Amino acid sequence: MAAPNLYGSFVKSPVGGLLAKQLGLPRPAHLPRRADRDELVLSPAVVLGDSTGADDIAARLLDWGADVRRRADDTGSVGSLLLVLDDLRRPEDIAGLIQQARAAVKKLQPGGRIITVSRTPDGADPVVDSARGAVEGLLRSLGHEVRRGATANGIQVAPEFPLSAVSVEHALRFFLSARSAFVDGQLLRIDADTGTAPADWNQPLAGRTIVVTGAARGIGEAIARTLAADGADLILVDMMNAGTELSRLATELGGRPVLADVTQERTTAALIAAADGSPIDGVVHNAGITRDKLFANMTQDRWEAVIAVNLRSQLAITRALRDEDALGADYRHVGIASTSGIAGNRGQTNYAASKAGVMAYVDALAGDLAESGGTANAVAPGFIETEMTATMPVVTREVARLLNSLHQGGLPQDVAEAVAFLLSPAAGGIRGETLRVCGQNLVGR
Ligand code: NAD
């Protein structure tokens, strides 16, 4: 059960709304999710950039049914703005787009999307890298500036791969669509031309067997529901004491429930048995706990419990599944991290350590899995409305909710969408990344 949103309800009231307007207080906008918004691309879509990459992206958006313009002054409003900066040679090259981009930003619709598409600095030429690096500052600042539920995100593609790579298409679809409603100010790196397009982009996980841990409630339940809608065959794991909820959910989604503690060695055998001979195509390591205390009062028990569930279980289950040869060739590992693991958080040394460990682990594991076409990535949620955050002290919770560019907490579904995105066969070029789902939380990157 999510906690009441005192500030959010106040600014929605007539008096609160008026006060917020006069005092310049943040007013959270409604963020359309997949059930509210059908179209993949909000039109008109303005594609700026002179490269052949920009032409290709404009053509692709036309194929997806968008009303595409190559100049901002051709249209009264802008649904999506794509800044294609894949051919930068010098920092001053960006200036050529500023006038048109500025005009487009001014016309951005509520819930609009800005996406930069650029190249990853690769160390070959410091001048070129300075220009490529500059794009990151541009997009992250745009994320802070745009209002009314609009977002800005970036796709950074390794220089040796074409913008037609399937993972670039996949990332464009994600950032343009309502699936990325609470992802803001993020830069996603694509470092390989691997991955395969699904037969049906609306059922991208059809035929894939995927394990979700901690699935009985909260974010895990939302992940299970989203993956089921995307066509996955599910194996759902949670503790014995969550058995009733887990069984009910598994029955509803046509998945298989496994009552097990992820810290126990025998859990892997139960997963393999539940897969019933099918390779496991993905594991979402979502089970997680908090045992908050200031470090001065941190007991060894609290420390160990959090590290065991949030981090060591991921290592042990992955190693055991690999030893048993139970994973599919283009396996997808998704670890749930947290923005606490990026920025740190008072009272959460144990939790932040476990989550920072998850991010480092997926980075290393991605290298190991690359040869077989497998990937490992993490999703780092910020403030999400769940039972976990409902237990926070009320003032801390109200403040934490507002401290991001979208001025609201995310929904479990927002994390689930990012997980589904990384699980797709089309995400083969995204490796070792941590994708934040935090509305561009003001702490950390
Ligand atoms: P939650 O407490 O609502 O749900 C966690 C689920 O994991 C529960 O069903 C629980 O029974 C299960 N679980 C716990 N220990 C387990 C174990 N040893 N074996 C099997 N299952 C176990 O939490 P949530 O808010 O839904 O969080 C899910 C994940 O997202 C966690 O990893 C959490 O750290 C992370 N996260 C949450 C937030 C947030 O704002 N809620 C923010 C950042 C990260």
Side-chain angles (χ1 to χ4, degrees), residues 214 216-219 238-239 260-262 286-289 309 336-338 351 355 381-384 386-389:
R217 68 177 203 190
I219 292 173
D238 212 302
M239 303 278 279
D261 178 337
V262 292
N286 164 77
I289 59 169
V309 177
I336 302 298
S338 165
Y351 183 74
K355 298 300 191 180
F383 184 99
I384 305 295
T386 66
E387 288 182 40
M388 193 184 257
T389 47

Side-chain angles (χ1 to χ4, degrees), residues 118-120 132 156-163 189-192:
S118 61
R119 294 294 188 181
T120 319
R132 291 173 176 172
Q156 209 179 49
V157 187
E160 60 273 33
F161 300 114
L163 297 190
R189 288 182 187 83
I190 294 177
D191 74 350

